[in-house]
Protein backbone atom coordinates (compact mmCIF):
# COMPACT_ATOMS: atom_id res chain seq x y z
CA UNK A 1 0.00 0.00 0.00
CA UNK A 2 2.81 2.39 0.90
CA UNK A 3 4.60 1.73 -2.38
CA UNK A 4 1.40 2.24 -4.40
CA UNK A 5 0.51 5.51 -2.63
CA UNK A 6 4.02 6.92 -3.04
CA UNK A 7 4.07 5.95 -6.73
CA UNK A 8 0.67 7.40 -7.65
CA UNK A 9 0.04 10.40 -5.38
CA UNK A 10 1.69 13.55 -4.09
CA UNK A 11 1.51 15.02 -0.58
CA UNK A 12 -1.83 16.74 -0.12
CA UNK A 13 -3.68 14.47 -2.60
CA UNK A 14 -6.94 12.83 -1.54
CA UNK A 15 -6.91 9.02 -1.24
CA UNK A 16 -10.21 7.09 -1.23
CA UNK A 17 -10.44 3.51 0.05
CA UNK A 18 -14.03 2.20 -0.15
CA UNK A 19 -13.15 -1.10 1.59
CA UNK A 20 -10.86 -0.14 4.44
CA UNK A 21 -10.31 -3.55 6.08
CA UNK A 22 -7.92 -2.90 8.96
CA UNK A 23 -7.24 0.69 7.87
CA UNK A 24 -3.86 0.24 6.19
CA UNK A 25 -4.58 2.71 3.38
CA UNK A 26 -5.66 5.46 5.77
CA UNK A 27 -2.68 4.72 8.02
CA UNK A 28 -0.19 5.05 5.15
CA UNK A 29 -1.93 8.12 3.70
CA UNK A 30 -1.78 9.86 7.09
CA UNK A 31 1.87 8.93 7.48
CA UNK A 32 2.85 10.41 4.11
CA UNK A 33 0.83 13.63 4.20
CA UNK A 34 -2.07 12.56 2.01
CA UNK A 35 -5.67 13.43 2.84
CA UNK A 36 -7.89 10.34 3.02
CA UNK A 37 -11.45 9.03 3.17
CA UNK A 38 -12.08 5.40 4.06
CA UNK A 39 -15.20 3.31 4.65
CA UNK A 40 -16.43 -0.24 5.00
CA UNK A 41 -19.69 -2.17 5.34
CA UNK A 42 -18.27 -4.28 8.19
CA UNK A 43 -18.43 -2.88 11.69
CA UNK A 44 -15.53 -5.17 12.61
CA UNK A 45 -13.34 -3.57 9.94
CA UNK A 46 -14.35 -0.08 11.03
CA UNK A 47 -13.57 -0.87 14.67
CA UNK A 48 -10.14 -2.20 13.72
CA UNK A 49 -9.35 0.78 11.51
CA UNK A 50 -10.55 3.28 14.10
CA UNK A 51 -8.49 1.70 16.88
CA UNK A 52 -5.45 1.52 14.66
CA UNK A 53 -5.62 5.16 13.55
CA UNK A 54 -6.46 6.61 16.97
CA UNK A 55 -3.57 4.75 18.59
CA UNK A 56 -1.03 5.31 15.81
CA UNK A 57 2.21 7.24 16.21
CA UNK A 58 3.97 8.61 13.14
CA UNK A 59 7.54 9.74 12.47
CA UNK A 60 8.22 13.44 12.00
CA UNK A 61 9.03 14.55 8.47
CA UNK A 62 10.72 17.75 7.41
CA UNK A 63 8.85 19.81 4.81
CA UNK A 64 10.88 20.49 1.69
CA UNK A 65 9.31 23.96 1.53
CA UNK A 66 10.91 25.15 4.77
CA UNK A 67 14.22 26.60 5.82
CA UNK A 68 14.89 23.49 7.87
CA UNK A 69 14.14 21.42 4.78
CA UNK A 70 16.54 23.42 2.66
CA UNK A 71 19.30 22.87 5.19
CA UNK A 72 18.59 19.14 5.41
CA UNK A 73 18.51 18.82 1.61
CA UNK A 74 21.89 20.51 1.39
CA UNK A 75 23.27 18.17 4.03
CA UNK A 76 22.07 15.08 2.16
CA UNK A 77 23.19 16.21 -1.28
CA UNK A 78 26.38 17.86 0.02
CA UNK A 79 25.61 21.12 -1.74
CA UNK A 80 24.97 24.74 -0.77
CA UNK A 81 21.56 25.42 0.85
CA UNK A 82 18.93 27.04 -1.37
CA UNK A 83 18.14 30.70 -0.69
CA UNK A 84 14.63 30.87 -2.19
CA UNK A 85 11.76 31.98 0.11
CA UNK A 86 9.83 29.19 1.87
CA UNK A 87 6.10 29.05 2.68
CA UNK A 88 5.64 25.68 4.40
CA UNK A 89 3.48 24.22 1.63
CA UNK A 90 2.75 20.52 1.92
CA UNK A 91 2.42 20.12 -1.85
CA UNK A 92 6.20 20.44 -2.24
CA UNK A 93 6.63 17.23 -0.28
CA UNK A 94 9.20 16.18 2.28
CA UNK A 95 12.93 15.71 2.45
CA UNK A 96 13.13 12.03 1.58
CA UNK A 97 15.74 9.39 2.22
CA UNK A 98 17.76 8.65 -0.92
CA UNK A 99 17.71 5.12 -2.36
CA UNK A 100 18.99 3.69 -5.66
CA UNK A 101 16.56 3.99 -8.56
CA UNK A 102 15.44 0.47 -9.47
CA UNK A 103 13.86 -0.26 -12.85
CA UNK A 104 12.47 -3.39 -14.49
CA UNK A 105 15.63 -3.54 -16.57
CA UNK A 106 17.82 -3.65 -13.47
CA UNK A 107 15.65 -6.40 -11.99
CA UNK A 108 15.80 -8.44 -15.20
CA UNK A 109 19.58 -8.06 -15.30
CA UNK A 110 20.06 -8.84 -11.62
CA UNK A 111 23.17 -11.02 -11.51
CA UNK A 112 22.20 -12.35 -8.07
CA UNK A 113 19.11 -14.07 -9.49
CA UNK A 114 21.19 -15.76 -12.15
CA UNK A 115 23.71 -16.88 -9.54
CA UNK A 116 21.04 -18.46 -7.37
CA UNK A 117 19.51 -20.21 -10.37
CA UNK A 118 22.86 -21.60 -11.48
CA UNK A 119 23.61 -22.90 -7.98
CA UNK A 120 20.38 -24.87 -7.89
CA UNK A 121 20.76 -26.12 -11.44
CA UNK A 122 24.14 -27.60 -10.53
CA UNK A 123 22.37 -29.69 -7.88
CA UNK A 124 19.14 -30.55 -9.69
CA UNK A 125 20.31 -31.18 -13.23
CA UNK A 126 22.63 -34.14 -12.45
CA UNK A 127 19.83 -35.72 -10.41
CA UNK A 128 17.39 -35.27 -13.30
CA UNK A 129 19.86 -36.86 -15.72
CA UNK A 130 20.40 -39.79 -13.35
CA UNK A 131 16.64 -40.27 -13.00
CA UNK A 132 16.10 -40.16 -16.78
CA UNK A 133 18.94 -42.59 -17.38
CA UNK A 134 17.60 -45.06 -14.82
CA UNK A 135 14.10 -44.98 -16.32
CA UNK A 136 14.93 -44.45 -19.99
CA UNK A 137 12.99 -41.17 -19.99
CA UNK A 138 13.63 -37.66 -21.22
CA UNK A 139 11.69 -35.74 -18.57
CA UNK A 140 12.07 -32.00 -18.26
CA UNK A 141 11.92 -30.64 -14.72
CA UNK A 142 8.21 -29.78 -14.99
CA UNK A 143 7.41 -33.34 -16.13
CA UNK A 144 8.92 -35.19 -13.15
CA UNK A 145 6.04 -36.78 -11.18
CA UNK A 146 5.59 -36.08 -7.49
CA UNK A 147 5.27 -39.77 -6.62
CA UNK A 148 7.87 -42.40 -7.46
CA UNK A 149 6.65 -45.49 -9.32
CA UNK A 150 6.36 -48.73 -7.36
CA UNK A 151 8.29 -50.65 -10.02
CA UNK A 152 11.15 -48.12 -10.32
CA UNK A 153 14.71 -49.36 -9.69
CA UNK A 154 16.43 -48.25 -6.49
CA UNK A 155 18.70 -45.80 -8.32
CA UNK A 156 15.70 -44.02 -9.83
CA UNK A 157 13.85 -43.85 -6.49
CA UNK A 158 16.91 -42.38 -4.76
CA UNK A 159 17.50 -39.77 -7.48
CA UNK A 160 13.81 -38.90 -7.52
CA UNK A 161 13.72 -38.37 -3.74
CA UNK A 162 16.84 -36.18 -3.77
CA UNK A 163 15.56 -34.15 -6.73
CA UNK A 164 12.27 -33.35 -4.99
CA UNK A 165 14.06 -32.57 -1.74
CA UNK A 166 16.15 -29.98 -3.54
CA UNK A 167 13.15 -28.69 -5.45
CA UNK A 168 11.17 -28.15 -2.24
CA UNK A 169 14.07 -26.35 -0.61
CA UNK A 170 14.32 -24.15 -3.69
CA UNK A 171 10.69 -23.14 -3.32
CA UNK A 172 10.74 -23.05 0.48
CA UNK A 173 9.61 -19.43 0.58
CA UNK A 174 6.13 -20.55 -0.50
CA UNK A 175 5.87 -23.58 1.83
CA UNK A 176 5.14 -24.01 5.49
CA UNK A 177 7.87 -25.06 7.90
CA UNK A 178 7.54 -27.87 10.40
CA UNK A 179 7.44 -27.78 14.13
CA UNK A 180 10.30 -29.26 16.11
CA UNK A 181 10.13 -32.97 16.91
CA UNK A 182 7.89 -33.94 19.79
CA UNK A 183 8.37 -37.12 21.85
CA UNK A 184 4.69 -38.00 21.35
CA UNK A 185 3.33 -36.44 18.15
CA UNK A 186 4.76 -34.44 15.27
CA UNK A 187 2.92 -31.63 13.56
CA UNK A 188 3.55 -29.87 10.25
CA UNK A 189 2.41 -26.32 9.61
CA UNK A 190 1.24 -24.81 6.33
CA UNK A 191 1.06 -21.01 6.44
CA UNK A 192 -1.27 -19.50 3.88
CA UNK A 193 -0.70 -16.27 1.93
CA UNK A 194 -0.94 -12.92 3.67
CA UNK A 195 -3.49 -11.59 1.17
CA UNK A 196 -5.08 -14.63 -0.41
CA UNK A 197 -7.07 -17.82 0.08
CA UNK A 198 -5.90 -21.35 0.77
CA UNK A 199 -7.47 -23.79 -1.71
CA UNK A 200 -8.11 -27.51 -1.42
CA UNK A 201 -5.19 -28.41 -3.74
CA UNK A 202 -2.87 -26.44 -1.42
CA UNK A 203 -4.07 -28.43 1.61
CA UNK A 204 -3.97 -31.73 -0.30
CA UNK A 205 -0.38 -31.20 -1.42
CA UNK A 206 0.72 -30.20 2.07
CA UNK A 207 -1.08 -33.20 3.61
CA UNK A 208 0.58 -35.60 1.18
CA UNK A 209 4.00 -34.15 1.96
CA UNK A 210 3.30 -34.32 5.71
CA UNK A 211 2.31 -37.98 5.42
CA UNK A 212 5.45 -38.81 3.46
CA UNK A 213 7.55 -37.17 6.19
CA UNK A 214 5.80 -39.15 8.93
CA UNK A 215 3.87 -36.34 10.61
CA UNK A 216 0.78 -37.06 12.70
CA UNK A 217 -0.93 -33.69 12.30
CA UNK A 218 -1.11 -30.91 9.75
CA UNK A 219 -2.04 -27.42 10.95
CA UNK A 220 -3.14 -25.06 8.18
CA UNK A 221 -2.95 -21.43 9.30
CA UNK A 222 -4.56 -18.93 6.94
CA UNK A 223 -6.61 -15.78 6.79
CA UNK A 224 -9.13 -17.36 4.43
CA UNK A 225 -10.06 -20.84 3.17
CA UNK A 226 -12.09 -21.59 0.08
CA UNK A 227 -15.17 -23.78 0.38
CA UNK A 228 -13.46 -27.01 -0.67
CA UNK A 229 -10.53 -26.46 1.68
CA UNK A 230 -12.83 -25.85 4.64
CA UNK A 231 -14.27 -29.36 4.20
CA UNK A 232 -10.85 -31.07 4.22
CA UNK A 233 -10.11 -32.44 7.71
CA UNK A 234 -8.29 -35.74 7.17
CA UNK A 235 -6.08 -37.68 4.77
CA UNK A 236 -5.72 -41.28 5.84
CA UNK A 237 -4.32 -41.29 9.37
CA UNK A 238 -3.25 -37.65 9.11
CA UNK A 239 -5.49 -35.16 10.94
CA UNK A 240 -5.81 -31.75 9.28
CA UNK A 241 -6.60 -28.86 11.62
CA UNK A 242 -7.51 -25.47 10.20
CA UNK A 243 -6.42 -22.44 12.21
CA UNK A 244 -7.97 -19.22 10.98
CA UNK A 245 -5.62 -16.26 11.47
CA UNK A 246 -7.38 -13.29 13.00
CA UNK A 247 -7.28 -10.17 10.76
CA UNK A 248 -5.63 -8.43 13.72
CA UNK A 249 -2.44 -10.16 12.61
CA UNK A 250 -2.11 -7.38 10.03
CA UNK A 251 -1.87 -5.04 13.04
CA UNK A 252 0.44 -7.27 15.07
CA UNK A 253 3.01 -4.54 15.67
CA UNK A 254 0.34 -2.32 17.21
CA UNK A 255 -1.25 -5.09 19.28
CA UNK A 256 1.73 -7.10 20.48
CA UNK A 257 2.17 -5.06 23.65
CA UNK A 258 -1.51 -4.76 24.55
CA UNK A 259 -2.34 -8.39 25.24
CA UNK A 260 -5.59 -7.96 23.36
CA UNK A 261 -4.71 -9.63 20.11
CA UNK A 262 -5.91 -13.23 19.74
CA UNK A 263 -4.01 -13.85 16.52
CA UNK A 264 -5.35 -17.35 15.84
CA UNK A 265 -8.93 -18.54 16.23
CA UNK A 266 -9.77 -22.21 15.68
CA UNK A 267 -13.44 -22.92 15.03
CA UNK A 268 -15.23 -26.13 15.67
CA UNK A 269 -18.04 -27.00 13.32
CA UNK A 270 -21.18 -24.92 13.70
CA UNK A 271 -24.00 -26.68 15.51
CA UNK A 272 -26.53 -26.74 12.68
CA UNK A 273 -29.74 -28.75 12.45
CA UNK A 274 -31.65 -29.56 9.25
CA UNK A 275 -35.40 -29.52 9.88
CA UNK A 276 -36.97 -31.92 7.41
CA UNK A 277 -40.72 -32.52 7.61
CA UNK A 278 -40.70 -34.88 4.65
CA UNK A 279 -42.22 -32.40 2.21
CA UNK A 280 -40.72 -30.45 -0.66
CA UNK A 281 -39.31 -27.77 1.66
CA UNK A 282 -36.74 -27.83 4.45
CA UNK A 283 -35.52 -25.39 7.09
CA UNK A 284 -32.20 -24.81 8.84
CA UNK A 285 -31.70 -24.10 12.54
CA UNK A 286 -28.40 -22.91 14.02
CA UNK A 287 -27.77 -23.65 17.70
CA UNK A 288 -24.28 -22.17 18.20
CA UNK A 289 -20.57 -22.65 17.54
CA UNK A 290 -17.51 -23.89 19.42
CA UNK A 291 -14.42 -21.68 19.49
CA UNK A 292 -10.93 -22.57 20.70
CA UNK A 293 -9.49 -19.93 23.04
CA UNK A 294 -5.72 -19.72 22.32
CA UNK A 295 -5.10 -17.86 25.60
CA UNK A 296 -6.47 -20.61 27.84
CA UNK A 297 -6.41 -23.66 25.58
CA UNK A 298 -10.09 -24.26 26.33
CA UNK A 299 -13.01 -24.88 23.98
CA UNK A 300 -15.77 -22.30 24.45
CA UNK A 301 -19.21 -23.61 23.53
CA UNK A 302 -21.27 -20.60 22.54
CA UNK A 303 -24.99 -20.43 21.92
CA UNK A 304 -26.54 -18.10 19.38
CA UNK A 305 -25.49 -15.02 21.40
CA UNK A 306 -21.98 -15.57 20.04
CA UNK A 307 -23.18 -15.43 16.42
CA UNK A 308 -23.33 -12.07 14.67
CA UNK A 309 -24.73 -13.36 11.37
CA UNK A 310 -25.32 -16.56 9.49
CA UNK A 311 -26.08 -17.22 5.84
CA UNK A 312 -27.41 -20.05 3.70
CA UNK A 313 -26.63 -20.96 0.13
CA UNK A 314 -29.74 -23.01 -0.60
CA UNK A 315 -28.24 -24.59 -3.74
CA UNK A 316 -24.49 -24.82 -3.18
CA UNK A 317 -22.51 -25.60 -6.35
CA UNK A 318 -19.22 -26.48 -4.57
CA UNK A 319 -17.47 -23.53 -6.19
CA UNK A 320 -18.94 -20.26 -4.95
CA UNK A 321 -21.02 -19.39 -1.90
CA UNK A 322 -24.08 -17.32 -2.79
CA UNK A 323 -25.95 -15.65 0.08
CA UNK A 324 -29.57 -16.59 -0.61
CA UNK A 325 -30.73 -16.36 3.01
CA UNK A 326 -29.27 -13.97 5.59
CA UNK A 327 -30.02 -13.89 9.34
CA UNK A 328 -28.66 -11.92 12.27
CA UNK A 329 -28.37 -12.89 15.92
CA UNK A 330 -26.58 -11.74 19.07
CA UNK A 331 -27.44 -10.86 22.64
CA UNK A 332 -29.24 -7.67 21.56
CA UNK A 333 -31.43 -6.94 18.57
CA UNK A 334 -28.88 -5.66 16.02
CA UNK A 335 -31.60 -3.73 14.19
CA UNK A 336 -32.89 -1.81 17.19
CA UNK A 337 -30.74 1.26 16.56
CA UNK A 338 -31.37 1.03 12.81
CA UNK A 339 -35.12 0.95 13.31
CA UNK A 340 -34.87 3.98 15.58
CA UNK A 341 -32.74 5.85 13.06
CA UNK A 342 -35.12 5.12 10.17
CA UNK A 343 -38.07 6.68 12.02
CA UNK A 344 -40.55 5.08 9.67
CA UNK A 345 -43.08 2.29 9.54
CA UNK A 346 -41.46 -1.14 9.69
CA UNK A 347 -42.99 -4.54 9.04
CA UNK A 348 -42.29 -6.19 12.39
CA UNK A 349 -42.95 -9.67 10.98
CA UNK A 350 -40.36 -9.10 8.26
CA UNK A 351 -37.79 -7.93 10.83
CA UNK A 352 -38.50 -10.99 12.94
CA UNK A 353 -37.67 -13.33 10.06
CA UNK A 354 -34.18 -11.78 9.85
CA UNK A 355 -33.49 -11.81 13.61
CA UNK A 356 -33.85 -15.57 13.92
CA UNK A 357 -31.92 -18.77 14.56
CA UNK A 358 -34.28 -20.70 12.25
CA UNK A 359 -34.48 -20.07 8.53
CA UNK A 360 -37.54 -19.58 6.40
CA UNK A 361 -38.60 -22.70 4.47
CA UNK A 362 -36.98 -23.21 1.08
CA UNK A 363 -37.21 -25.77 -1.70
CA UNK A 364 -34.85 -28.73 -1.75
CA UNK A 365 -31.91 -27.86 -4.02
CA UNK A 366 -31.55 -29.51 -7.39
CA UNK A 367 -27.87 -30.13 -6.72
CA UNK A 368 -28.59 -31.88 -3.43
CA UNK A 369 -26.32 -29.64 -1.33
CA UNK A 370 -26.68 -26.57 0.85
CA UNK A 371 -23.96 -24.60 2.65
CA UNK A 372 -24.28 -22.74 5.95
CA UNK A 373 -21.81 -19.99 6.89
CA UNK A 374 -21.62 -18.71 10.48
CA UNK A 375 -19.81 -15.51 11.53
CA UNK A 376 -19.07 -14.43 15.10
CA UNK A 377 -18.77 -10.91 16.48
CA UNK A 378 -15.03 -10.80 15.76
CA UNK A 379 -15.59 -11.37 12.06
CA UNK A 380 -14.34 -14.97 12.10
CA UNK A 381 -16.32 -17.32 9.90
CA UNK A 382 -16.78 -21.03 9.33
CA UNK A 383 -18.78 -22.88 6.69
CA UNK A 384 -20.25 -26.37 6.55
CA UNK A 385 -21.80 -28.20 3.61
CA UNK A 386 -24.81 -30.53 3.99
CA UNK A 387 -26.38 -33.07 1.66
CA UNK A 388 -30.15 -32.82 1.68
Amino acid sequence: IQRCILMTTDPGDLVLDPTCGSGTTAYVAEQWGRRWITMDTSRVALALARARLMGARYPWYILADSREGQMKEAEITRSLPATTPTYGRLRHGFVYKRVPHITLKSIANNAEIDTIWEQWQQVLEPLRETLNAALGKDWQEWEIPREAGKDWPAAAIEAHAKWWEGRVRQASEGEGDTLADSPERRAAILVGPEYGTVSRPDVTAAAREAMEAGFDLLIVAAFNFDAHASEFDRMGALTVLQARINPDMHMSDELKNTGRGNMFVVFGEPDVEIIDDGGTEIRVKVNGIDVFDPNTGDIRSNDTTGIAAWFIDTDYNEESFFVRHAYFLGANDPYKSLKTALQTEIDEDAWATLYSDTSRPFERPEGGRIAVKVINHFGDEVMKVFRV
Side-chain angles (χ1 to χ4, degrees):
I1 297 295
Q2 176 176 287
R3 184 170 66 253
C4 291
I5 287 181
L6 293 179
M7 288 172 59
T8 59
T9 66
D10 295 317
D13 282 353
L14 179 62
V15 177
L16 171 66
D17 184 2
T19 53
C20 74
S22 61
T24 301
T25 300
Y27 179 90
V28 173
E30 182 73 19
Q31 176 181 353
W32 292 98
R34 276 68 168 170
R35 296 173 298 140
W36 53 267
I37 299 174
T38 191
M39 64 197 74
D40 206 291
T41 58
S42 167
R43 59 180 178 175
V44 175
L46 293 176
L48 286 172
R50 181 169 57 249
R52 181 179 187 181
L53 294 169
M54 295 299 291
R57 290 189 296 179
Y58 299 99
W60 177 264
Y61 294 97
I62 301 175
L63 286 176
D65 189 21
S66 68
R67 185 57 185 166
E68 186 182 10
Q70 290 177 340
M71 299 300 294
K72 190 65 177 178
E73 185 73 23
E75 177 187 336
I76 294 175
T77 60
R78 297 184 179 182
S79 60
L80 293 175
T83 58
T84 55
T86 59
Y87 303 95
R89 288 170 294 196
L90 181 65
R91 176 63 66 181
H92 289 195
F94 310 108
V95 179
Y96 295 102
K97 182 188 298 183
R98 301 315 198 258
V99 296
H101 182 59
I102 300 175
T103 64
L104 290 177
K105 180 179 179 181
S106 62
I107 295 175
N109 295 329
N110 185 355
E112 187 66 22
I113 295 178
D114 295 335
T115 301
I116 295 173
W117 172 257
E118 289 297 331
Q119 289 176 347
W120 277 109
Q121 287 302 98
Q122 292 175 12
V123 175
L124 296 177
E125 278 302 297
L127 292 172
R128 184 175 68 89
E129 293 174 0
T130 301
L131 176 63
N132 283 333
L135 297 175
K137 302 286 187 179
D138 188 22
W139 281 333
Q140 300 300 316
E141 59 183 39
W142 59 86
E143 297 175 311
I144 298 177
R146 188 64 182 85
E147 305 291 340
K150 295 181 180 180
D151 56 347
W152 286 9
I157 294 176
E158 181 181 2
H160 178 268
K162 290 182 178 180
W163 191 91
W164 272 108
E165 181 182 357
R167 187 68 168 178
V168 169
R169 289 181 61 192
Q170 183 182 25
S172 60
E173 291 183 1
E175 298 290 334
D177 294 331
T178 58
L179 290 173
D181 290 349
S182 165
E184 295 182 357
R185 302 187 69 195
R186 301 176 67 236
I189 297 179
L190 171 66
V191 181
E194 184 175 5
Y195 302 102
T197 301
V198 169
S199 64
R200 189 182 182 99
D202 297 330
V203 181
T204 302
R208 183 178 295 112
E209 186 174 341
M211 290 183 65
E212 292 174 353
F215 288 97
D216 305 295
L217 177 70
L218 171 65
I219 301 173
V220 183
F223 287 99
N224 291 291
F225 297 87
D226 71 10
H228 296 288
S230 64
E231 303 169 14
F232 193 103
D233 59 3
R234 181 171 294 277
M235 175 180 280
L238 180 75
T239 300
V240 179
L241 177 64
Q242 295 175 0
R244 188 174 298 275
I245 306 176
N246 194 301
D248 287 356
M249 180 63 81
H250 292 304
M251 301 169 56
S252 57
D253 290 339
E254 288 77 11
L255 293 173
K256 64 182 179 182
N257 295 323
T258 67
R260 298 181 180 179
N262 289 337
M263 296 308 178
F264 294 87
V265 176
V266 183
F267 266 106
E269 290 187 344
D271 185 1
V272 176
E273 177 183 349
I274 307 297
I275 303 175
D276 187 352
D277 299 324
T280 60
E281 294 183 330
I282 57 175
R283 291 178 295 157
V284 174
K285 185 177 187 302
V286 60
N287 299 314
I289 51 175
D290 293 335
V291 179
F292 173 76
D293 187 340
N295 290 328
T296 64
D298 298 328
I299 299 293
R300 300 196 307 264
S301 296
N302 294 333
D303 55 17
T304 55
T305 59
I307 297 175
W310 63 287
F311 309 109
I312 309 174
D313 185 343
T314 58
D315 192 5
Y316 181 57
N317 63 4
E318 297 188 273
E319 293 182 357
S320 301
F321 183 94
F322 294 94
V323 178
R324 306 178 197 272
H325 282 223
Y327 304 94
F328 303 87
L329 293 170
N332 301 311
D333 185 346
Y335 290 108
K336 185 176 181 179
S337 58
L338 179 60
K339 290 187 289 185
T340 302
L342 288 175
Q343 296 180 351
T344 186
E345 294 296 325
I346 294 176
D347 186 336
E348 294 294 338
D349 293 335
W351 283 117
T353 63
L354 295 177
Y355 185 57
S356 174
D357 60 3
T358 304
S359 74
R360 299 181 296 276
F362 56 88
E363 294 288 335
R364 294 177 183 274
E366 295 182 1
R369 288 183 177 86
I370 66 170
V372 180
K373 181 175 291 188
V374 179
I375 302 176
N376 68 6
H377 293 288
F378 299 103
D380 305 309
E381 65 180 47
V382 64
M383 188 184 79
K384 189 173 182 182
V385 179
F386 298 89
R387 293 181 180 273
V388 294

